[in-house]
Amino acid sequence: MPLFKSRIKEALVRRREQGLSRQLKVLENSNGPLLRSEGSDFINFSSNDYLGLANDPELVDAWQTGLSQYGAGSAASPLVSGFSPAHLNLEAQLCEWLGFDRAILFSSGFSANQALLFSLLEKDDFLLQDKLNHASLMEAGMLSPATMKRFKHNDTQHLESLLNRTPQSLVVTEGVFSMDGDQAPLSQISKLTNRYDSWLVIDDAHGIGVLGEKGAGSCNVAQITPDILVVTFGKAFGLSGAAILCSAELGDYLTQFARHHVYSTAMPPSQAVALSYACQMIQTQEWRREKLFELGATYSEQMSGVEGFIETQPPIKPFVVGEAKTALSIAEELKRHQVWVTAIRPPTVPVGTARLRITLTARHTQKQVLQLTSSLHQAIERNIESSFESKIDTNNRA
Ligand SMILES: *Cc1c(COP(=O)(O)O)cnc(C)c1O
């Protein structure tokens, strides 16, 4: 197939030339505070396991209990025969906790978002999305038959001007934005969607478990109930999968028409058992959220005033450096200090806003956060010096 071969080769060369090639890296213990790479330990500030549940012995036990009770796989899609008491129980728990009538389970947040937008939207519909929404939402919107418009990030005036032209739209935003750690103005957005007879979808992948009373998320903080709430289990739950929370009627509709639900094998029942257990841990173990906010305060104290620092409430701490190369070189320098932080580059974030995406988890210690901040100070300083030197160098040559 020469066509596909040459296409693949060209795309890979282009990626490399742009310096944007990415590689899979084998890491050990990466679901804990100390990850291991090529024989060395690093303090891990790059996981989304905000509450530190991903390797919690209690949760591991719960999954093992589920395995003994239900065996390994679900053996079918939910409508055929893959829906067990464990799945039903998880759905019921989510509904009670978050205040909805129905919850529909999916194997990932990516598929939940696709299933939702594909099954709900038709040709003459309008879909309005925050410009910084997650790739799964953007891609689903572009592939859907609806007309998609993006409103400026967290800009309710811009959103209103769009709603004014196209009332009865589907408005989609995140509660907490994954690359910026900032929060959407949900109560204002909710007022707007009500005023313009529109529906509001909130993807709270990064807010659920972390924010709000008993970890009920961004909507609890804003005191609103959206028409549709998407929660994912790969972040604060420490597991994987997702749920769409909604009315009984929409739940029935999704059960019939959400293709990623109908035609995909149900998650293993043992995983549903573990997720139910994580649900309980999230609601009852308040200390995890308290710890996160204490660590966040230490980070802010140490970094505020430094160019690139951004104050956030959630445990996502972006440190914006601008150029992709700078982000990479600071991340490399941090590794020499045994600190593991991910450099986030375009196309994941806009050109010129490459950053370090630092995430805190409830399993970090104050000491580890202090090691992060002192290493970061040093790495930034070295980087400023070396870019200064290379400038002198160029000047001398000229
Ligand atoms: C991570 C994430 C998803 C995707 O969820 P997965 O379960 O990892 O597929 C969807 N939306 C947002 C906002 C996310 O951050």
Side-chain angles (χ1 to χ4, degrees):
M1 278 278 189
L3 171 67
F4 298 122
K5 272 196 168 174
S6 63
R7 181 179 302 166
I8 289 164
K9 196 167 271 169
E10 277 164 30
L12 287 174
V13 167
R14 221 175 308 128
R15 261 286 147 105
R16 267 195 295 275
E17 283 172 355
Q18 294 166 328
L20 296 177
S21 257
R22 299 162 81 171
Q23 246 86 46
L24 286 168
K25 207 168 201 134
V26 180
L27 301 172
E28 290 165 71
N29 285 338
S30 59
N31 57 2
L34 275 188
L35 65 76
R36 206 166 171 75
S37 168
E38 293 167 3
S40 312
D41 285 329
F42 297 85
I43 312 172
N44 178 9
F45 289 103
S46 63
S47 90
N48 291 325
D49 179 31
Y50 305 123
L51 297 181
L53 295 181
N55 200 8
D56 187 282
E58 243 187 280
L59 187 54
V60 173
D61 268 357
W63 199 329
Q64 273 161 351
T65 307
L67 279 168
S68 313
Q69 200 178 346
Y70 286 98
S74 68
S77 60
L79 285 176
V80 174
S81 55
F83 193 73
S84 71
H87 295 93
L88 179 67
N89 181 36
L90 173 58
E91 288 190 358
Q93 271 197 48
L94 290 166
C95 287
E96 194 185 323
W97 176 31
L98 301 171
F100 287 82
D101 290 334
R102 272 304 291 279
I104 310 293
L105 301 175
F106 292 85
S107 296
S108 75
F110 204 102
S111 61
N113 283 337
Q114 287 220 332
L116 176 66
L117 297 189
F118 289 174
S119 55
L120 209 52
L121 292 166
E122 292 183 3
K123 188 170 148 291
D124 293 324
D125 293 339
F126 286 91
L127 167 67
L128 308 180
Q129 297 216 52
D130 187 287
K131 205 164 176 262
L132 295 189
N133 275 356
H134 189 260
S136 57
L137 291 166
M138 284 304 167
E139 175 158 309
M142 283 189 289
L143 296 176
S144 82
T147 303
M148 177 168 88
K149 296 214 170 120
R150 305 196 299 171
F151 57 92
K152 289 184 201 146
H153 178 52
N154 284 347
D155 187 333
T156 47
Q157 260 181 352
H158 189 211
L159 173 60
E160 179 157 23
S161 74
L162 294 177
L163 281 170
N164 213 344
R165 270 174 268 158
T166 60
Q168 300 204 49
S169 292
L170 189 69
V171 175
V172 186
T173 184
E174 293 183 24
V176 172
F177 288 85
S178 53
M179 295 299 146
D180 292 76
D182 59 345
Q183 295 162 263
L186 292 184
S187 100
Q188 285 160 274
I189 292 178
S190 163
K191 279 191 193 114
L192 285 178
T193 49
N194 281 335
R195 190 179 311 151
Y196 290 93
D197 299 321
S198 296
W199 263 17
L200 175 57
V201 180
I202 295 173
D203 176 344
D204 204 21
H206 298 277
I208 192 73
V210 172
L211 301 175
E213 242 173 86
K214 295 191 174 167
S218 304
C219 300
N220 175 275
V221 175
Q223 291 295 303
I224 60 153
T225 306
D227 300 282
I228 300 162
L229 173 66
V230 178
V231 296
T232 70
F233 305 138
K235 279 105 190 189
F237 280 72
L239 292 155
S240 75
I244 297 177
L245 289 124
C246 55
S247 68
E249 195 174 31
L250 176 56
D252 187 20
Y253 178 85
L254 291 172
T255 304
Q256 320 293 324
F257 298 113
R259 302 172 70 82
H260 302 64
H261 180 258
V262 178
Y263 296 106
S264 191
T265 302
M267 70 170 64
S270 59
Q271 186 181 338
V273 171
L275 283 164
S276 289
Y277 199 85
C279 235
Q280 288 306 317
M281 292 175 84
I282 289 173
Q283 290 173 74
T284 55
Q285 301 183 355
E286 194 61 39
W287 67 267
R288 293 178 189 271
R289 280 180 288 279
E290 284 164 9
K291 175 94 177 287
L292 261 187
F293 291 116
E294 284 161 18
L295 297 171
T298 302
Y299 175 80
S300 295
E301 229 171 71
Q302 298 296 320
M303 295 312 297
S304 71
V306 180
E307 193 181 338
F309 165 80
I310 292 168
E311 177 82 51
T312 65
Q313 176 81 356
I316 302 168
K317 309 292 176 191
F319 191 88
V320 179
V321 299
E323 294 307 311
K325 251 190 348 208
T326 318
L328 282 180
S329 93
I330 295 181
E332 277 311 306
E333 175 74 20
L334 288 175
K335 288 208 172 79
R336 286 192 276 278
H337 295 257
Q338 307 328 119
V339 168
W340 194 281
V341 167
T342 318
I344 307 278
R345 300 170 282 164
T348 308
V349 292
V351 175
T353 71
R355 67 199 59 190
L356 305 171
R357 180 177 183 269
I358 299 162
T359 47
L360 304 176
T361 79
R363 288 185 69 192
H364 284 126
T365 62
Q366 291 284 354
K367 199 167 155 230
Q368 287 171 329
V369 173
L370 290 173
Q371 184 170 336
L372 161 72
T373 55
S374 79
S375 308
L376 189 50
H377 276 287
Q378 288 174 50
I380 296 162
E381 231 153 76
R382 266 183 84 115
N383 211 272
I384 292 172
E385 270 167 33
S386 72
S387 72
F388 188 63
E389 273 160 24
S390 73
K391 259 184 210 145
I392 295 176
D393 228 36
T394 353
N395 287 346
N396 286 350
R397 243 180 280 138

